[in-house]
């Protein structure tokens, strides 16, 4: 009896319950050529009701999201090239920036559902930008890069060495088992971790996708050179020769008397306690400055001493108490209410 009740409840729930709400699309992966028109479809079950709200959102390849249809109308940036019909979207013209995912969101009767449609706008690759180093030293690393910003979907890359295709995994091909490179077909980088003379060649890259013809860059030569030990040795020898020539020049100038053979001695007056030694030109300048400073100090000291020896003249009016004689106690005493 209990088992029968559970079955009845389950059947009723399936017939009227939440599981009936669904949103779908007839084509979830759409590819279209650039500048062509395309339709993106969206259907939902009747469970959402006649007044269901339908909105479309777009997320580009960089992750930025925006509304395409909001409140039943195209947003400003899509108004000129998107026309809604029913629950669907119709693009009159697409470009590479329209590649991404579109979400059809349906809400009604307190329920929500959505379906995601991927749109890929097909654009053939352009001529890729290749960077190949012109010269590399043996044993050093080398990076060759290849990039195309036009193709959609993003192209994959192949590298050619002297016109021969380089396998993405050199260990799988007998002729390349000793190769030291790593090739990434997704970002176009060709890396040599340890260059050898065998890596010296002409290289070019090819970018391709399913939208059109492959494109290649111009071939460039990469030279692999040994470390120039001969040049280093020659540089050291030249440096030593210049050093020897400089020493000879100093000796010759000394021999001819251009450089004084005896140290310069100075005798400066008024500088007691100063012991002189052999001096250079810089020392002479410093000693002259010191001499002037010492004499200035002596001058001001003698002036101050002479000032102290002069008697001080102070005006002293006659005493109002008589006795016109002057008093001389040896020290000055104030006799009045003011001093001149």
């Amino acid at each position: 009896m209990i088992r029968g009740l559970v079955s009845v409840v389950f059947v009723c729930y399936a017939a009227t319950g939440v599981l009936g709400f669904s949103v779908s699309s007839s084509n979830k992966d759409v590819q279209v050529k650039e500048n062509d028109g395309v339709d993106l479809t969206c259907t939902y079950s009747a469970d959402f009701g006649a007044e269901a709200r339908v909105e479309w959102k777009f997320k580009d390849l960089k992750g930025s999201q925006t509304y395409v249809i909001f409140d039943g109308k195209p947003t400003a940036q899509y108004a000129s090239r998107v026309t809604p019909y029913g629950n669907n979207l119709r693009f009159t013209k697409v470009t590479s920036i329209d590649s991404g995912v579109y979400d059809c969101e349906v809400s009604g009767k307190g329920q929500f559902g959505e379906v995601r449609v991927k749109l890929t706008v097909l654009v053939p690759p352009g001529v890729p930008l290749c960077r190949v180093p012109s010269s590399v030293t043996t044993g050093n690393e080398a990076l060759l890069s290849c990039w195309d910003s036009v193709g959609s979907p993003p192209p994959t890359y192949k590298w050619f060495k002297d016109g021969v295709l380089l396998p993405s995994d050199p260990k799988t091909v007998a002729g390349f088992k000793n190769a030291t490179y790593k090739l990434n077909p997704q970002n176009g980088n060709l890396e040599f971790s340890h260059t050898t003379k065998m890596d010296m060649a002409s290289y070019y890259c090819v970018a391709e996708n399913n939208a059109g013809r492959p494109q290649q860059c111009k071939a460039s030569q990469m030279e692999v050179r040994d470390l120039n030990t001969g040049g280093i040795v020659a540089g050291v020898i030249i440096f030593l020769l210049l050093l020897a020539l400089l020493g000879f020049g100093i000796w010759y100038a000394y021999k001819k008397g251009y450089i004084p053979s005896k140290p310069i001695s100075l005798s400066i007056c008024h500088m007691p306690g100063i012991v002189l030694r052999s001096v250079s030109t810089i020392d002479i300048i410093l000693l002259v400055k010191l001499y002037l400073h010492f004499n200035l100090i002596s001058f001001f000291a003698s002036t101050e001493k002479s000032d102290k020896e002069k008697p001080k003249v102070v005006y002293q009016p006659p005493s109002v108490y008589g006795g016109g004689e002057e008093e001389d106690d040896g020290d000055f005493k104030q006799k009045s209410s003011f001093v001149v």
Side-chain angles (χ1 to χ4, degrees), residues 132-190:
V132 179
S134 59
S135 179
V136 183
T137 304
T138 304
N140 287 355
E141 297 180 355
L143 174 62
L144 287 68
S145 63
C146 180
W147 175 251
D148 168 60
S149 60
V150 177
S152 176
T156 56
Y157 303 94
K158 295 178 181 179
W159 277 96
F160 290 79
K161 173 185 176 182
D162 287 335
V164 179
L165 175 64
L166 292 176
S168 57
D169 186 2
K171 304 301 180 184
T172 60
V173 181
F176 293 88
K177 284 186 177 181
N178 296 327
T180 61
Y181 70 84
K182 291 182 180 179
L183 174 59
N184 189 331
Q186 306 304 319
N187 62 19
N189 286 347
L190 176 62

Side-chain angles (χ1 to χ4, degrees), residues 23-32 38-43 55-61 65 68 87-89 91 98-105 114-121:
V23 183
S24 61
S25 175
S26 59
N27 190 356
K28 294 184 179 181
D29 190 357
V30 180
Q31 294 188 351
V32 59
V38 66
D39 291 345
L40 305 182
T41 62
C42 176
T43 58
E55 294 175 345
W56 281 88
K57 291 180 180 178
F58 169 62
K59 181 185 289 186
D60 63 19
L61 300 178
Q65 192 171 33
V68 180
N87 309 315
N88 308 314
L89 287 183
F91 283 87
D98 295 319
S99 293
V101 292
Y102 293 79
D103 294 323
C104 175
E105 300 177 350
E114 65 177 342
V115 64
R116 173 163 289 186
V117 180
K118 180 182 178 182
L119 174 63
T120 302
V121 180

